[in-house]
Amino acid sequence: MVEINLNDAEFFAYHGFYPEEQLLGSRFCVDIAVSFIPTANLSEDELANTVNYEQLYIIASEEMKHTRKLIETVAQAIFNRIQHKYPFAKNIKVSLKKINPPLKGKVGNSSVVIISE
């Protein structure tokens, strides 16, 4: 089994339930892990034989541009696109963190994690 990870990809986006969140925007951080059993020899040194983490970043970047009320919805959209692009993936995990969410106290982040079964 091989696991490809994209960690701490940062974005500024306009997700949030409240109108002011969608107006002011926030910082977000995305982590993605994709596990698969290689069907080709990895020593061939070919990108086609693995999950391309550049493509994972592009998927996350494109989905972060679509303003949504819930970070759960954003994370699920990222997950769905990865699942579609890499149907051979055995496990997919997408974590989306909202940095410094607008709450009444100091909070480092709020997050949601979508994991394949």
Side-chain angles (χ1 to χ4, degrees):
M1 185 82 74
V2 174
E3 181 176 283
I4 303 297
N5 293 285
L6 181 70
N7 299 309
D8 300 323
E10 290 191 33
F11 301 94
F12 191 86
Y14 298 89
H15 309 299
F17 183 77
Y18 299 105
E20 57 270 16
E21 292 179 283
Q22 293 186 5
L23 181 65
L24 298 173
S26 296
R27 287 180 38 240
F28 294 86
C29 192
V30 177
D31 296 325
I32 299 170
V34 180
S35 301
F36 66 98
I37 297 172
T39 57
N41 188 347
L42 293 178
S43 64
E44 292 174 2
D45 207 23
E46 294 294 330
L47 192 55
N49 296 342
T50 189
V51 171
N52 182 343
Y53 59 80
E54 180 183 21
Q55 290 301 310
L56 298 179
Y57 180 86
I58 289 168
I59 289 169
S61 178
E62 289 173 351
E63 290 302 327
M64 291 301 291
K65 292 176 185 175
H66 300 288
T67 299
R68 296 179 173 105
K69 291 180 183 177
L70 302 177
I71 60 174
E72 291 89 333
T73 307
V74 182
Q76 186 67 57
I78 294 169
F79 180 96
N80 292 346
R81 287 198 46 199
I82 294 167
Q83 195 172 44
H84 183 261
K85 181 156 187 70
Y86 299 104
F88 57 86
K90 296 293 181 194
N91 299 301
I92 300 170
K93 179 178 178 182
V94 176
S95 172
L96 176 57
K97 299 175 203 139
K98 186 174 206 172
I99 310 303
N100 301 114
L103 301 171
K104 293 185 181 189
K106 183 177 179 182
V107 176
N109 69 72
S110 58
S111 67
V112 62
V113 179
I114 308 286
I115 305 171
S116 58
E117 296 181 348

